[in-house]
C-alpha cells in the first residue's frame, strides 16, 4: 500500500514535466487505494475478515482437546493463542520463519500469549515449514493458516502438507487453510486430495472457504483470498 502510493505520488510530481506519466501515476494510486481498503477489510478494527478466516478453520476442527498442537507459520501467534484458549488442556507450539517481509517475531508471539493469559501453554520457535524440527508423529493436532503459499524454500507447496502430516500422530487431526484453489501452486483439488489420502491419511475433506459469506467481493482476487480453501481430516 505504501510503495504503490509513494511511486504514484512521485510520478504525479514528475508528470508536471512529462504529462504521459499521469497514466502510470493514476494506476499506482488506484493500487494503493485498493490495498488500503483491503487492509481495512482484514483488520480487527475494520471488517475483521482475518478473524473470520481463523474462525473458519478453528470451527471445523474435530479434536478432543487434550495433547500437543502445532501451528505452522504462526505469524503473530494469533491462531496459536486462539487454540490455546479454546483447548485449555492443550500445549500449543507455533513455528514460523519470521522473515524480513513480515513484522511478526517470536518476541511478538510470546508477548501476545502473555497478554492473553496462555503463556504457560504456548511455545514459539523459528523453523521452516519445509523442514519441521520435530520427530514423526509428535503432535495430536496440526494446523496451518495462509502460510504454505508463502514458503520460498519449497518449490512444490504440496510437500508442505506432507511435512505437516509427518509430525501428526496416527489418529490425530489436521486443518490446513491456504490458497488451495490456486492451480499453478497446488494443481487440481481432486488430485491434491488423492495425494493426501495416499500419504496414509484415514479421512480428508476439502471445504471451499473462498465462497464463505464473510469474504467480501473486493477480496476475491486470486492473490488475496479468492482462492481460499480448507483441507481437514484425520491421519
Ligand atoms: C499470511 S501470514 C499468516 C500468519 C498466520 N498463520 C495467521 O494466520 O495469522 C504468512 C506467514 O508465513 C510465514 N512464513 C513464510 N515462510 C515460511 C516458512 N518457510 N516457514 C514457516 N513460516 C513461513 C510468514 O513469516 C508469515 O508469518
Amino acid at each position: 500500500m505504501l510503495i504503490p502510493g509513494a511511486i504514484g505520488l512521485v510520478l504525479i510530481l514528475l508528470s508536471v514535466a512529462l504529462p504521459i506519466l499521469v497514466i502510470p501515476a493514476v494506476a499506482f494510486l488506484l493500487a494503493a487505494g485498493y490495498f488500503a481498503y483491503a487492509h481495512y477489510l482484514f483488520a480487527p478494527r475494520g471488517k475483521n475478515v482475518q478473524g473470520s478466516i481463523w474462525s473458519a478453520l478453528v470451527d471445523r476442527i474435530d479434536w478432543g482437546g487434550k495433547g500437543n498442537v502445532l501451528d505452522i507459520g504462526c505469524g503473530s501467534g494469533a491462531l496459536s493463542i486462539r487454540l490455546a484458549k479454546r483447548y485449555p488442556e492443550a500445549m500449543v507450539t507455533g513455528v514460523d520463519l519470521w522473515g524480513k517481509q513480515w513484522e511478526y517475531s517470536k518476541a511478538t508471539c510470546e508477548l501476545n500469549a502473555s497478554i492473553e493469559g496462555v503463556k504457560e501453554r504456548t511455545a514459539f520457535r523459528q523453523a521452516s515449514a519445509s523442514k519441521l524440527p520435530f520427530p514423526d508423529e509428535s503432535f495430536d493436532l496440526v494446523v496451518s493458516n495462509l502460510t504454505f503459499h508463502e514458503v520460498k524454500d519449497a518449490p512444490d507447496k504440496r510437500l508442505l502438507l506432507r511435512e505437516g502430516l509427518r509430525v501428526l500422530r496416527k489418529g490425530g487431526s489436521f486443518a490446513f487453510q491456504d490458497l488451495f484453489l490456486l492451480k499453478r501452486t497446488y494443481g487440481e483439488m481432486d488430485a491434491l486430495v488423492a495425494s493426501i489420502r495416499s500419504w496414509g491419511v484415514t479421512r480428508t475433506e476439502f471445504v471451499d472457504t473462498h465462497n464463505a459469506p464473510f469474504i467480501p467481493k473486493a477480496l476475491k482476487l486470486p492473490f488475496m483470498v479468492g482462492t481460499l480453501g480448507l483441507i481437514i481430516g484425520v491421519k
Side-chain angles (χ1 to χ4, degrees), residues 72 129-130 132 144 147-166 174 176 178-199 201 231:
I72 304 170
S130 63
L132 296 169
S144 183
T147 291
F148 295 147
H149 70 280
E150 297 279 353
V151 176
K152 304 273 183 298
D153 59 345
D156 185 346
K157 311 292 179 232
R158 291 170 301 183
L159 298 183
L160 298 169
L161 284 84
R162 189 157 82 173
E163 177 65 354
L165 292 169
R166 176 185 68 77
F174 62 92
F176 300 141
D178 200 20
L179 306 181
F180 287 128
L181 293 172
L182 214 49
K183 283 193 184 150
R184 67 169 182 275
T185 306
Y186 289 107
E188 294 293 334
M189 182 46 60
D190 288 350
L192 179 60
V193 169
S195 296
I196 295 170
R197 290 206 177 111
S198 76
W199 298 332
V201 161
I231 298 177

Side-chain angles (χ1 to χ4, degrees), residues 1-16 21-33:
M1 166 173 85
L2 293 178
I3 293 171
I7 295 174
L9 289 176
V10 170
L11 288 172
I12 283 281
L13 291 175
L14 293 175
S15 71
V16 176
L21 290 179
V22 140
I23 297 167
V26 169
F28 275 103
L29 291 174
L30 283 175

Side-chain angles (χ1 to χ4, degrees), residues 62 168 172-176 201 203-205 231-235:
D62 175 16
L168 180 64
S173 299
F174 62 92
F176 300 141
V201 161
R203 181 154 52 87
T204 189
E205 182 192 343
I231 298 177
I232 53 174
V234 173
K235 188 169 172 186

